[in-house]
Amino acid sequence: MRSTGVIARGIVTPIFRQGDDIIKLICDCLLISAQSEGYSLADGDIVAITEAVVGRVQGNYASLDHIAKDIRTKFGGGDLGIVFPILSRNRFSSVLSGISRGCDKLFIQLSYPRDEVGNQLVDILTCDEKGVNPYTDSFTEKEFRDIFGMDTVHSFTGVDYIEYYKEIAGNCEIIFSNDPAHILKYTKHVLCCDIHTRRRTQKLINNAGADKCLCLDDILCAPVDGSGFSEFGLLGSNKANDEQVKLFPRDTDALVLALQKELHRRTGATLEVMVYGDGCFKDPAGGIWELADPVVSPAFTSGLSGTPNELKIKYVADNDYADLSGEELTKSIRERIKNKADNLVGNMASGGTTPRRIHDLVGSLCDLVSGSGDRGTPIVLVQNYFKNYASD
């Protein structure tokens, strides 16, 4: 039997720049790593590329003035309300600045006690103590401060996002409500800034009588004066500098297929390839749900489709082979895995296995391996992912 299961390696690379030959550089880095570390590339290995690298090489950037122009073109200037933005310096502060330049006055409706991805404004227990029901109660900023005071500093970042967003937006009002349609008391022009719940939010606001309601993926979904753009618009964008954002990459389907083809040419192996952004997991201490990108993976090769079809070894061992041990138990479990059904959905023997799509699982693994800081490993190689206890 093999003595090692899944291996995930962060691959150190040069700093990617606009116009670089990303396919050649990735192949070179993988082959150098394999040679120096003494391993080989094989069929079924997975090469994952951070979306940030792809966007940088593409030069998929837009200025805050590009955002402002698209906002003004699509809403006509005047008052604008934004609903449910996440609380983030990297993800939303620059976007907010661009939006505010595209209107005369901005109304910012924040969800509470947390934003969509789990960043906390106030403790839910404090809501209980104050007799506040987040499902029904809405507040102006003054009313919110009268109840909760100034203790709204984020525990991890040390930022008071209420004050921070007011400083960025300038001429604005902050309101607090989890009812999407509450914004219509202030303006009939609305931009939904939530990520995964945006379509429901938009539908509720439209049904309540908005004159115009768009989502972040409707902004910069096409070039503005030669800017970058994305099918996801401003969703998945990051702050690049004080006057620019890097957008989520585009044309990633073509990239993964081209990289798979070149890796096969250079190694003889058929590897799976994916582009990944944020993983999808929740921090147990801060309660932050990591997925601020619109998807974990915008593109992946066909071998990463579908969901795992796995037996729960401990369940089978405890229930079907409770009287076995040692080599006899090992042999029986391996044979059971080799002969498992092609579809174990609804079978108790698969209970407890992770019910997520393969590319979401692998993308989450890769995000943890590469990190978001100074590791310098924007490429991740995952080996043995499709092998199991019965594989030779």
Side-chain angles (χ1 to χ4, degrees):
M1 291 180 60
R2 293 175 301 107
S3 59
T4 303
V6 176
I7 301 168
R9 305 174 187 268
I11 306 299
V12 178
T13 71
I15 305 300
F16 288 86
R17 294 289 189 183
Q18 182 176 348
D20 284 347
D21 186 340
I22 187 172
I23 292 176
K24 181 180 184 303
L25 282 172
I26 291 173
C27 290
D28 289 346
C29 291
L30 283 167
L31 292 173
I32 290 169
S33 174
Q35 183 176 20
S36 63
E37 300 292 336
Y39 64 88
S40 58
L41 301 174
D43 291 347
D45 288 353
I46 303 167
V47 176
I49 317 151
T50 60
E51 59 81 20
V53 160
V54 181
R56 284 173 61 84
V57 170
Q58 290 176 343
N60 203 21
Y61 293 84
S63 72
L64 305 193
D65 287 338
H66 289 137
I67 296 174
K69 183 170 183 178
D70 211 17
I71 289 289
R72 195 167 289 277
T73 297
K74 289 173 178 174
F75 286 101
D79 293 347
L80 177 66
I82 63 172
V83 176
F84 303 155
I86 64 172
L87 307 175
S88 173
R89 293 167 296 176
N90 175 47
R91 290 290 189 170
F92 196 73
S93 64
S94 294
V95 170
L96 175 61
S97 182
I99 292 170
S100 67
R101 294 181 191 183
C103 63
D104 298 331
K105 182 170 183 179
L106 190 62
F107 297 91
I108 304 173
Q109 181 172 317
L110 300 178
S111 57
Y112 76 96
R114 295 177 179 269
D115 70 6
E116 181 188 4
V117 296
N119 292 297
Q120 180 174 287
L121 270 179
V122 293
D123 194 312
I124 185 63
L125 296 178
T126 304
C127 292
D128 295 340
E129 292 169 3
K130 301 290 185 179
V132 171
N133 183 347
Y135 294 102
T136 59
D137 297 342
S138 303
F139 305 100
T140 64
E141 183 187 351
K142 183 181 184 306
E143 291 168 340
F144 193 83
R145 289 298 195 190
D146 286 346
I147 294 171
F148 296 106
M150 298 300 293
D151 188 20
T152 52
V153 174
H154 193 285
S155 59
F156 281 3
T157 66
V159 174
D160 185 326
Y161 283 96
I162 299 172
E163 297 303 317
Y164 182 51
Y165 280 8
K166 284 168 59 180
E167 180 181 342
I168 291 171
N171 186 21
C172 71
E173 286 186 35
I174 306 282
I175 56 180
F176 302 85
S177 179
N178 293 309
D179 174 11
H182 183 71
I183 192 69
L184 298 179
K185 295 182 178 181
Y186 298 84
T187 176
K188 300 294 186 181
H189 285 181
V190 183
L191 180 66
C192 304
C193 295
D194 43 346
I195 305 161
H196 308 288
T197 55
R198 63 189 184 276
R199 293 304 172 212
R200 177 177 184 270
T201 299
Q202 183 183 38
K203 181 179 180 180
L204 291 172
I205 292 172
N206 278 327
N207 289 347
D211 289 341
K212 189 159 196 176
C213 182
L214 301 177
C215 298
L216 281 178
D217 51 349
D218 296 311
I219 309 301
L220 286 180
C221 54
V224 174
D225 294 340
S227 73
F229 65 98
S230 169
E231 66 176 298
F232 294 105
L234 286 173
L235 290 176
S237 62
N238 291 270
K239 181 176 183 175
N241 56 46
D242 288 342
E243 286 294 321
Q244 277 191 316
V245 295
K246 182 197 66 61
L247 303 173
F248 216 54
R250 58 180 189 267
D251 303 324
T252 47
D253 287 325
L255 171 65
V256 297
L257 292 174
L259 180 54
Q260 183 183 53
K261 182 178 179 180
E262 181 63 11
L263 284 167
H264 185 270
R265 187 188 72 81
R266 294 183 63 171
T267 68
T270 299
L271 286 77
E272 302 299 335
V273 180
M274 71 183 300
V275 175
Y276 70 96
D278 278 344
C280 185
F281 42 84
K282 185 175 181 178
D283 179 79
I288 298 172
W289 182 41
E290 182 68 11
L291 187 56
D293 283 326
V295 291
V296 172
S297 175
F300 48 90
T301 50
S302 60
L304 297 171
S305 297
T307 56
N309 187 56
E310 301 174 342
L311 291 172
K312 194 73 170 180
I313 288 180
K314 63 183 181 182
Y315 178 88
V316 174
D318 289 344
N319 285 272
D320 297 340
Y321 303 116
D323 57 335
L324 302 182
S325 61
E327 182 61 30
E328 188 177 5
L329 175 59
T330 298
K331 182 178 178 181
S332 296
I333 293 290
R334 295 187 73 192
E335 286 299 315
R336 179 71 174 272
I337 293 172
K338 288 180 179 179
N339 295 305
K340 65 185 176 183
D342 292 335
N343 187 346
L344 293 169
V345 173
N347 190 317
M348 278 304 299
S350 68
T353 59
T354 308
R356 290 173 60 188
R357 297 176 300 182
I358 292 170
H359 56 273
D360 289 336
L361 289 164
V362 176
S364 298
L365 168 64
C366 292
D367 189 28
L368 288 168
V369 171
S370 62
S372 57
D374 55 11
R375 293 179 188 171
T377 56
I379 310 301
V380 176
L381 173 67
V382 180
Q383 298 182 295
N384 299 335
Y385 190 83
F386 296 106
K387 294 184 177 180
N388 57 37
Y389 194 60
S391 301
D392 294 327

